[in-house]
Amino acid sequence: MTDKVNFGDELVSPEEKTRRVGAVFSSVARRYDIMNDLMSGGMHRLWKDRFVNRVKPRAGEEILDMAGGTGDVAFRMAKRGARVTVSDINADMLAVGERRAQRKGFTGLTWKVENAESLSFADARFDAYTIVFGIRNVTDIPAALREAFRILKRGGRFYCMEFSSSDWPGFSNLYDAWASNVIPRIGKSVAGDEESYRYLVESIRRFPHPEAFKHMVTEAGFVRAAAEPMLGGLVTIHSGWKI
Ligand code: SAM
């Protein structure tokens, strides 16, 4: 029998999780960008700026932005001259991203539907792999990390940003109250979809602690794995190198 996995707080089969995550992002795709601003009070823009500063994209570098959704991180890296491939399992999210790219005048990006767990790219193809607020939605995270390692060149770098449970006691309670009560309500009134936003909150709460995730990054073969907490540990930037 196949082991069950969490879809938010519910236990489901791995296939069912992938299907339901797909439904969540198809449902939120159109309102995704405005919801990000509302849910984070605009903070996600600062986190993404900080993240890209850590990645340090260079002109001409090949970067895979995995689970790239509507392109927020990819646009920031393309601005610095990197050649970015935006991949996501969800064609609806990528379609919103491509329309945004046209409006913003970004022409050099490649958009490709891919499952992070089994990529179609050749070994050692990219200089860097980025994944932002994406990996907690992936059903088989170790498989995605192994694929990230495979498609990177030697000297290639892995960067992941994800929510984490804060270690600051007062802050963590305040955040939990905000996330569990307010975010699904905003989801209901703005995007007409309370359930999807409830899943997003539950998936954040269930994501491994930064130290546990750092261990998973090392297990995939990366060296010098690091976890940099931001904003009292609410968000963490993880990194690692392929040598
Ligand atoms: N990186 C973007 C950002 O920060 O704005 C989008 C993040 S969004 C919260 C999560 C994305 O992960 C969704 O677009 C979803 O389709 C994608 N995703 C979920 N499971 C995936 C998988 N197995 N492979 C690739 N992408 C996946």
Side-chain angles (χ1 to χ4, degrees):
M1 205 180 75
T2 325
D3 286 344
K4 299 271 184 193
V5 294
N6 274 99
F7 172 78
D9 288 346
E10 229 180 295
L11 280 174
V12 298
S13 71
E15 299 74 23
E16 171 81 354
K17 171 167 178 162
T18 304
R19 193 188 61 70
R20 286 175 71 176
V21 167
V24 163
F25 286 103
S26 289
S27 162
V28 304
R30 221 170 37 85
R31 309 296 271 169
Y32 178 76
D33 295 305
I34 181 166
M35 279 299 296
N36 262 351
D37 277 332
L38 292 173
M39 288 187 313
S40 72
M43 289 294 287
H44 75 108
R45 294 167 186 260
L46 304 177
W47 298 333
K48 286 168 181 168
D49 287 345
R50 164 93 69 105
F51 177 80
V52 171
N53 282 339
R54 289 291 180 279
V55 177
K56 294 189 182 57
R58 287 185 288 267
E61 268 193 335
E62 290 277 354
I63 303 185
L64 176 61
D65 184 38
M66 196 62 228
T70 60
D72 258 6
V73 173
F75 298 152
R76 285 169 170 77
M77 299 196 292
K79 263 190 200 151
R80 300 195 185 193
R83 297 213 298 262
V84 186
T85 300
V86 194
S87 283
D88 198 288
I89 200 169
N90 193 302
D92 295 322
M93 291 289 280
L94 289 181
V96 173
E98 284 197 71
R99 281 198 294 278
R100 288 179 82 204
Q102 275 162 12
R103 276 202 307 278
K104 289 172 183 281
F106 286 107
T107 49
L109 294 158
T110 304
W111 302 83
K112 194 155 188 310
V113 173
E114 292 275 340
N115 183 346
E117 295 168 11
S118 53
L119 301 175
S120 70
F121 305 109
D123 295 358
R125 158 100 157 66
F126 292 96
D127 298 291
Y129 173 109
T130 54
I131 183 162
V132 170
F133 302 136
I135 203 146
R136 72 174 192 280
N137 301 293
V138 171
T139 307
D140 187 347
I141 295 176
L145 293 173
R146 285 193 300 273
E147 280 293 81
F149 188 83
R150 180 183 69 74
I151 56 90
L152 280 171
K153 297 174 186 169
R154 277 181 189 276
R157 49 213 202 278
F158 166 86
Y159 275 95
C160 168
M161 181 158 70
E162 197 45 89
F163 291 103
S164 37
S165 21
S166 172
D167 290 332
W168 292 5
F171 187 70
S172 133
N173 294 343
L174 196 69
Y175 172 74
D176 251 5
W178 160 262
S180 318
N181 300 313
V182 183
I183 291 179
R185 283 191 205 159
I186 305 179
K188 186 177 179 186
S189 59
V190 179
D193 182 355
E194 187 172 352
E195 277 315 299
S196 291
Y197 285 93
R198 197 169 298 288
Y199 157 75
L200 291 178
V201 171
E202 289 168 2
S203 65
I204 290 169
R205 209 181 297 123
R206 291 201 164 270
F207 190 68
H209 191 274
E211 278 307 309
F213 186 67
K214 193 168 119 180
H215 182 69
M216 292 167 86
V217 171
T218 306
E219 288 278 286
F222 290 103
V223 297
R224 284 169 45 208
E228 180 196 354
M230 296 197 300
L231 193 75
L234 186 56
V235 169
T236 302
I237 296 178
H238 295 270
S239 54
W241 296 72
K242 176 172 176 175
I243 54 169

